[in-house]
Amino acid sequence: MSVDPWLEAQQVPRGRDGRAPDVFSRDGWVPMREYPTHEPVDFVIVGTGAGGATLAAKLAEAGFSVVAFDAGAWWRPLSEFASDEGHQEKLYWFDERICDGDNPLVLGTNNSGKAVGGSTVHYAMVALRFRPEWFKSRSQLGYGVDWPLDWQEMWDYYREAEQAISLAGPVHYPWGPQRPRYPYRQHEMNASGLALAQACEALGVDWAPTPLATLSAPGGQAPPCVYRGFCVAGCSTNAKQSALNTWVPRALRAGAEIRDLAMVGRIETGADGCVTGVHYHREGAWHFQPAKHVIVAGYAIETPRLLLNSANEHYPDGLANSSGLVGRNLMVHTNQAVWGEVDDEIRWYKGPPSLAISEHWNYEDRGKDFFGGYAFMSQGPLPGAWAQAQVGNRGLWGQALVDEMQKYNHQVGLKIVGETLPQERNRVTLDEQTDQYGLPIARVSYSFCDNDNRLVEHAVDFMGKGLDAIGARNIWSEAEGTAHLMGTARMGFDAATSVVNADCRSWDIPNLWICDGSVFPTSGGVNPSLTIQAIACRTADRICALARRGEL
């Protein structure tokens, strides 16, 4: 009997210290390269998520020597992922952080990752483009700040990212400028998605199958999605097109090195003020990797934490912080939901959790008492998460909880990804307490503004009307909930009002770059992963152009 080469490759013995010596991608074996730790490389990249992995691939393909670091482990999904919500918490960043403010954030499962591939390893795979006007939200829509990017140029980079992650979506997407067909056909609709469609039709708004980064047909040696529903706990079949099995294999094939279980704690600078490399903790000791350039892609909390912790005599307020904006303007997405019970057997765990979507309130500006927008999507929470919602939001316990869980297959829900406004008071700073590496813990301060609250009220009311229109009963709303992290190192037009320029290059230090969700000036009402990858594609191209002109 023949052996599935994909499965066989996932079971190979690990190399030294438990790390695989080679990686098996959807297109076959990829060798693992190791650079000497005492010799400078062209680029050190901190983080291997949507931003870092994309840059590692494109820069290595351009001929640069690249070493990318990740504080998390390098998992092999087929052999190391379990259909167990508790077990898969190994993918989340649960290192201690201190959260305060009027609305302290709950960090971990839905807004950070600690693994090679970052949070894309456990994201819900929703891949959406920004509304074009959002790139000029201040001048065109009257709120937030303008981005130093042109939406038409970004449209080309969105297309590149969509191709790289084999995005599956509908032939016609009803919002925004016309776009080419998605690389893969849309996924089959589940009962939860059909409920959203019925609600939207009753309310008179458009809906569409959600563009998702999971295969709807075989891709190379990777299988299509089997709709097992454990997407947010890590896909154990490798159908999910995360950074772990798209950009990372490309980076390795081009000669990049990925160092897992390596926590970068400080960036070093030289007498000329330029960065010279990074200090990182691995295998029980601190090491130094010299580099000609450093790219920070640690996401919206760890990126400012690293920059602030790298303060020295030359940069007493932290690196890239002459504007004083490093750590400020932290943004999240509001993630409220409305739930109800129906007679039909929904079995909402079958398939990806958000198979249908409406972006009506992202593109419609009439009928709002708030700035910004939101998308809302069908939902399919796993049993453990659903039970936690009953305990945490409704106070159910004992027999009452058991009785409610008996209705699990008859539940239906809608949830938003809602835009919040940038506020300087929402920020990341360093606390006096230290972590297991001896590094200052991040203090994360967050408070909603009146506009954020009005958006949530509008969304909850609208979604409630949708569930009522399809005959749901016992409708209730989940008042709390946030997702995704953005801001804290925004891009902009000048050094006084931003941290990096349009190319994600630090205004203060020419060989320091920042490229992840932290560079977002505004948050938009869609999941950020596709925009992060598009920006990273653009940044890589701009770096290559600078190198060709001798300006790097």
Side-chain angles (χ1 to χ4, degrees):
M1 183 175 67
S2 62
V3 178
D4 184 343
W6 177 265
L7 181 59
E8 182 181 40
Q10 292 289 329
Q11 305 298 332
V12 297
R14 285 181 175 261
R16 66 179 182 85
D17 301 314
R19 288 184 294 278
D22 299 292
V23 176
F24 196 76
S25 74
R26 55 184 277 185
D27 300 316
W29 281 101
V30 181
M32 177 65 178
R33 177 171 185 171
E34 293 187 356
Y35 284 95
T37 58
H38 61 280
E39 295 180 6
V41 293
D42 293 325
F43 285 91
V44 153
I45 300 175
V46 183
T48 61
T54 303
L55 280 160
K58 294 204 61 173
L59 293 175
E61 289 170 348
F64 294 105
S65 55
V66 176
V67 175
F69 292 85
D70 203 286
W74 195 334
W75 299 109
R76 298 178 298 181
L78 286 184
S79 59
E80 296 178 322
F81 284 2
S83 298
D84 183 309
E85 295 173 71
H87 178 83
Q88 289 303 106
E89 289 186 352
K90 64 188 181 183
L91 300 178
Y92 309 138
W93 193 294
F94 280 134
D95 290 19
E96 185 176 1
R97 289 158 170 169
I98 299 171
C99 296
D100 61 20
D102 296 339
N103 306 98
L105 300 181
V106 178
L107 300 174
T109 57
N110 68 342
N111 49 29
S112 61
K114 193 174 185 181
V116 173
S119 57
T120 70
V121 179
H122 62 83
Y123 74 155
M125 307 168 301
V126 177
L128 305 172
R129 300 184 180 195
F130 260 42
R131 175 184 173 181
E133 290 85 352
W134 286 343
F135 291 105
K136 295 291 182 285
S137 63
R138 168 56 60 183
S139 56
Q140 295 188 14
L141 299 173
Y143 73 94
V145 293
D146 288 351
W147 294 52
L149 299 175
D150 175 70
W151 78 265
Q152 292 174 308
E153 183 186 23
M154 284 297 294
W155 234 240
D156 294 333
Y157 285 112
Y158 276 131
R159 181 63 175 165
E160 179 181 351
E162 290 168 351
Q163 292 288 340
I165 61 176
S166 302
L167 197 60
V171 172
H172 172 65
Y173 194 71
W175 303 283
Q178 187 175 3
R179 63 193 70 180
R181 289 187 63 170
Y182 289 101
Y184 277 63
R185 65 167 176 81
Q186 68 190 45
H187 286 274
E188 297 298 322
M189 195 59 57
N190 63 0
S192 181
L194 292 174
L196 177 140
Q198 294 166 1
C200 287
E201 289 167 4
L203 294 171
V205 300
D206 285 334
W207 71 278
T210 308
L212 294 173
T214 185
L215 295 175
S216 60
Q221 298 183 51
C225 179
V226 296
Y227 307 113
R228 54 188 295 279
F230 271 80
C231 315
V232 295
C235 175
S236 66
T237 69
N238 273 323
K240 175 185 286 189
Q241 298 300 281
S242 66
L244 177 64
N245 61 0
T246 56
W247 296 108
V248 167
R250 276 181 55 175
L252 297 176
R253 190 173 291 109
E257 179 189 350
I258 307 292
R259 291 186 194 159
D260 65 340
L261 301 172
M263 178 66 181
V264 176
R266 189 163 60 87
I267 302 170
E268 192 67 48
T269 63
D272 60 356
C274 291
V275 299
T276 58
V278 299
H279 298 271
Y280 65 99
H281 192 275
R282 196 184 198 205
E283 299 174 355
W286 284 98
H287 310 273
F288 180 72
Q289 175 61 57
K292 299 175 183 176
H293 299 265
V294 171
I295 302 176
V296 182
Y299 212 23
I301 294 178
E302 292 304 307
T303 285
R305 180 191 182 200
L306 175 59
L307 295 172
L308 294 173
N309 193 53
S310 299
N312 55 38
E313 291 183 1
H314 201 96
Y315 302 107
D317 297 321
L319 304 190
N321 199 25
S322 63
S323 64
L325 292 175
V326 169
R328 294 186 181 272
N329 296 298
L330 174 67
M331 297 171 288
V332 298
H333 280 138
T334 53
N335 204 214
Q336 282 71 22
V338 174
W339 312 102
E341 181 185 343
V342 293
D343 292 329
D344 293 340
E345 204 171 65
I346 297 293
R347 293 187 178 271
W348 55 3
Y349 61 87
K350 289 183 175 291
S354 300
L355 274 168
I357 185 173
S358 176
E359 281 202 71
H360 174 78
W361 291 109
N362 274 336
Y363 285 83
E364 177 58 72
D365 295 316
R366 297 168 298 180
K368 293 178 178 177
D369 63 347
F370 58 89
F371 289 113
Y374 63 87
F376 61 95
M377 306 173 205
S378 59
Q379 289 300 294
L382 294 172
W386 183 241
Q388 289 176 353
Q390 306 314 303
V391 175
N393 291 279
R394 306 180 74 186
L396 301 185
W397 192 250
Q399 189 60 47
L401 177 60
V402 173
D403 293 343
E404 187 64 31
M405 291 304 296
Q406 293 295 324
K407 307 172 186 176
Y408 176 73
N409 288 330
H410 294 270
Q411 302 289 343
V412 66
L414 305 174
K415 179 175 279 193
I416 67 168
V417 170
E419 184 170 6
T420 62
L421 298 188
Q423 304 178 70
E424 286 196 14
R425 66 171 175 165
N426 292 334
R427 61 185 302 197
V428 176
T429 56
L430 300 181
D431 194 76
E432 294 180 355
Q433 300 181 54
T434 57
D435 65 7
Q436 67 269 37
Y437 307 105
L439 302 172
I441 292 173
R443 178 177 288 274
V444 182
S445 303
Y446 198 85
S447 303
F448 290 127
C449 65
D450 290 341
N451 189 84
D452 302 336
N453 290 325
R454 289 196 300 272
L455 182 149
V456 169
E457 291 170 3
H458 184 282
V460 169
D461 178 70
F462 190 79
M463 293 188 297
K465 290 177 180 176
L467 291 191
D468 182 66
I470 64 173
R473 59 184 179 275
N474 300 326
I475 296 172
W476 62 281
S477 62
E478 189 173 354
E480 302 297 328
T482 61
H484 313 129
L485 301 164
M486 297 143 289
T488 68
R490 67 161 51 156
M491 62 167 60
F493 297 91
D494 58 68
T497 58
S498 58
V499 178
V500 297
N501 65 14
D503 300 340
C504 294
R505 193 178 197 175
S506 162
W507 293 106
D508 301 346
I509 306 173
N511 63 339
L512 175 64
W513 312 71
I514 304 168
C515 191
D516 54 28
S518 70
V519 304
F520 282 33
T522 56
S523 63
V526 296
N527 308 54
S529 62
L530 186 67
T531 299
I532 295 172
Q533 290 171 81
I535 291 172
C537 287
R538 181 186 184 277
T539 295
D541 284 353
R542 299 293 289 181
I543 287 173
C544 292
L546 290 169
R548 287 193 297 270
R549 297 197 302 266
E551 300 175 6
L552 192 59

